[in-house]
Amino acid sequence: MSQIAVIGAGYVGIPTAACFAHLGHHVVCADVDEARVAALMKGEVPILEEGLPALVMEGLQSGRLRFEVGAREAVRDAEFVFICVQTPQGANGAADLTVVEGVAREIAPILRPGTVVVNKSTMPVGSTDTVARALRSGGAAHDVGVASNPEFLREGQAVHDTLGPHRVVIGCDDTEVAVRVSELYRDIQAPVLVTDPASAEMIKYASNAFLATKISFVNEIANLCELVNADVREVVLGMGYDPRIGFEVLHPGPGFGGSCFPKDTFALLHTAQGAGYDFELLRSVIDVNLRQRALVVEKVRAAAGGDLSGVSVALWGLAFKANTDDLRDSPAVFVAERLLAEGAVVRAFDPAAGDAASVRLPGMAIAADVYEAASGASVLVLLTEWDEFRWADFERVRTSMKPPFAVVDARNLLDPAAMRRRGFAYQGIGR
Ligand code: UDX
């Protein structure tokens, strides 16, 4: 079993650290945020991830998982260092590697000879070289290796996806180093693809861009369905039985959000531009996505009779998808901001993201539950596909609402016929 340091205790770092400890490795996970580290030392996990608190506790109790403030202490005995820090979108759309390079320079003089530094965060093509250069300029031993090993985990299912990945991708020009990295995953059942760093980095971006393309595609089909009186749910069902198409990532909605798809599609577009290539399809995927969010606002405005000023609107869901408390690039936040800007009186409920949203959107009231949010509203907008919304007492919801009892279901979560029977003016997406 190996000594592993994980730098960055966030959405990628904590699951990575906890899962490696679960697999029997000795892991130190470091972050610059002292409060976060102190909480983690007590087993308190600052993000909503199914199964993660139990895994962190297991690691702490077995002694195989420790948390540390700062990268320097964490890497002292490490054979492998996983860089899991943020790579935010820079001003020009490119991924900003400032934090990554800072970490590499900081740890460079401390690393033991033969240590392998692994890029886990999503980093653009060429980043393995960038990290190698930063390590050298920071004074790392000449035999410190560098590899790319992108994560493909979905938020909310990080533990599941980390322990049961569809594939493990390792990008490294040194086969011996790549084999050492692959051995960390010995007990995981998944194909391992060893390739060059640029291809590994591209695999991550191409995968996310492809999934984003599926979403924008189905959103366009949905919009077209509305114009020709087709039901996109039936259409997707009929498409999905073809295994070449499949059912997954084909749900129309308010567009993709989160920390990955929006940022990664922009970054890939930027990479293409830098290489002198016009990635026309990807540009459209991004444009369609932005338009889709705006379309939800249009539906709400139309449902309110064309003018939102002074109209009471209830929002169900704020997180960018269900089972997460993450608001990053959430279509729901975009919709809320636009509704507030147009003068609507907005009251929202989200099972997990309410506290964060009240900081982010001070002009919006946060309700304690779905009923409080809906009470007195003329329009109810469902923006995140939390399962519990499905099971609300809609009789109670309707009696507390005001005419025109409009429901804009931006996730197609509810049954249109049942909603109309209950007296709602129901509208979904593409049906
Ligand atoms: C994604 C990828 O799935 C993961 O492999 C990658 O490593 C990181 O990015 P994540 O951002 O956690 O993970 O969420 P995902 O479940 O893929 O959803 C992304 C966005 O697309 C959400 O806003 C979601 O609501 C939206 N989406 C997803 C749709 O609108 N329709 C779909 O059919 C699927």
Side-chain angles (χ1 to χ4, degrees):
M1 290 300 163
S2 301
Q3 300 284 341
I4 298 175
V6 172
I7 312 303
Y11 285 93
V12 174
I14 307 173
T16 301
C19 288
F20 274 138
H22 179 72
L23 292 171
H25 300 293
H26 291 271
V27 187
V28 187
C29 180
D31 202 286
V32 288
D33 184 334
E34 289 180 25
R36 178 169 278 242
V37 171
L40 282 162
M41 281 172 160
K42 289 185 274 178
E44 292 163 15
V45 177
I47 53 173
L48 184 66
E49 273 299 344
E50 200 185 333
L52 192 55
L55 222 55
V56 166
M57 205 42 104
E58 175 198 284
L60 289 171
Q61 280 167 357
S62 68
R64 287 196 304 272
L65 177 62
R66 289 193 293 120
F67 293 93
E68 194 82 65
V69 177
R72 288 166 162 267
E73 275 308 308
V75 303
R76 219 165 276 284
D77 297 317
E79 298 163 81
F80 298 88
V81 178
F82 280 78
I83 300 188
C84 300
V85 295
Q86 66 275 32
T87 52
Q89 190 172 316
N92 54 5
D96 180 351
L97 291 185
T98 315
V99 184
V100 172
E101 289 178 78
V103 166
R105 272 193 299 271
E106 184 190 351
I107 62 174
I110 303 161
L111 296 176
R112 301 193 320 186
T115 301
V116 182
V117 176
V118 186
N119 287 356
K120 194 72 169 161
S121 310
T122 302
M123 299 187 206
V125 178
S127 299
T128 308
D129 292 341
T130 308
V131 168
R133 272 197 304 276
L135 286 167
R136 270 199 304 276
S137 78
H142 74 280
D143 60 352
V144 164
V146 185
S148 162
N149 172 217
E151 53 77 21
F152 297 95
L153 56 87
R154 288 163 296 179
E155 272 183 49
Q157 291 166 76
V159 172
H160 174 271
D161 289 353
T162 305
L163 293 175
H166 294 117
R167 74 295 209 191
V168 173
V169 174
I170 299 166
C172 189
D173 286 326
D174 183 329
T175 313
E176 208 180 303
V177 170
V179 169
R180 280 179 60 205
V181 176
S182 74
E183 279 167 359
L184 298 175
Y185 295 95
R186 200 169 32 211
D187 293 328
I188 280 182
Q189 301 297 317
V192 176
L193 177 72
V194 174
T195 183
D196 60 281
S199 300
E201 289 156 349
M202 185 56 97
I203 286 168
K204 170 70 199 228
Y205 280 95
S207 301
N208 275 0
F210 183 75
L211 296 172
T213 303
K214 276 187 96 173
I215 297 169
S216 277
F217 178 83
V218 80
N219 281 335
E220 293 239 80
I221 292 291
N223 298 341
L224 185 54
C225 280
E226 286 185 11
L227 298 174
V228 298
N229 283 329
D231 183 340
V232 72
R233 300 248 302 187
E234 304 291 315
V235 174
V236 165
L237 194 64
M239 289 168 69
Y241 281 115
D242 183 334
R244 293 171 303 173
I245 299 172
F247 291 106
E248 288 196 54
V249 200
L250 216 52
H251 305 288
F256 55 79
S259 66
C260 292
F261 289 170
K263 174 167 77 78
D264 293 352
T265 44
F266 263 117
L268 185 57
L269 194 61
H270 188 269
T271 299
Q273 276 159 359
Y277 184 77
D278 181 15
F279 201 152
E280 223 179 311
L281 178 61
L282 188 58
R283 233 178 329 111
S284 299
V285 167
I286 294 168
D287 289 345
V288 166
N289 193 55
L290 297 176
R291 195 181 66 196
Q292 194 68 13
R293 299 171 169 201
L295 207 74
V296 176
V297 178
E298 276 173 38
K299 279 178 184 272
V300 180
R301 196 188 303 113
D307 183 5
L308 280 163
S309 80
V311 174
S312 286
V313 180
L315 299 189
W316 283 7
L318 293 163
F320 80 94
K321 64 171 186 178
N323 305 317
T324 176
D325 54 1
D326 198 344
L327 292 175
R328 284 180 290 178
D329 228 321
S330 171
V333 171
F334 171 89
V335 171
E337 282 169 347
R338 288 282 293 270
L339 298 179
L340 289 166
E342 293 192 30
V345 181
V346 185
R347 191 151 28 155
F349 170 71
D350 187 282
D355 289 346
S358 66
V359 177
R360 180 83 184 271
L361 294 154
M364 182 177 76
I366 300 290
D369 58 27
V370 286
Y371 304 107
E372 191 186 317
S375 172
S378 309
V379 188
L380 166 62
V381 194
L382 198 156
L383 288 164
T384 310
E385 72 284 23
W386 287 100
D387 207 35
E388 63 182 83
F389 296 161
R390 228 187 273 268
W391 314 116
D393 176 351
F394 283 98
E395 209 45 58
R396 185 173 162 195
V397 171
R398 207 199 72 89
T399 44
S400 77
M401 280 179 66
K402 284 190 314 209
F405 308 104
V407 172
V408 177
D409 178 5
R411 294 284 184 172
N412 286 348
L413 198 72
L414 310 173
D415 177 4
M419 291 299 285
R420 289 183 187 125
R421 256 199 319 274
R422 288 197 185 94
F424 290 103
Y426 175 91
Q427 259 198 83
I429 300 273
R431 52 204 308 214

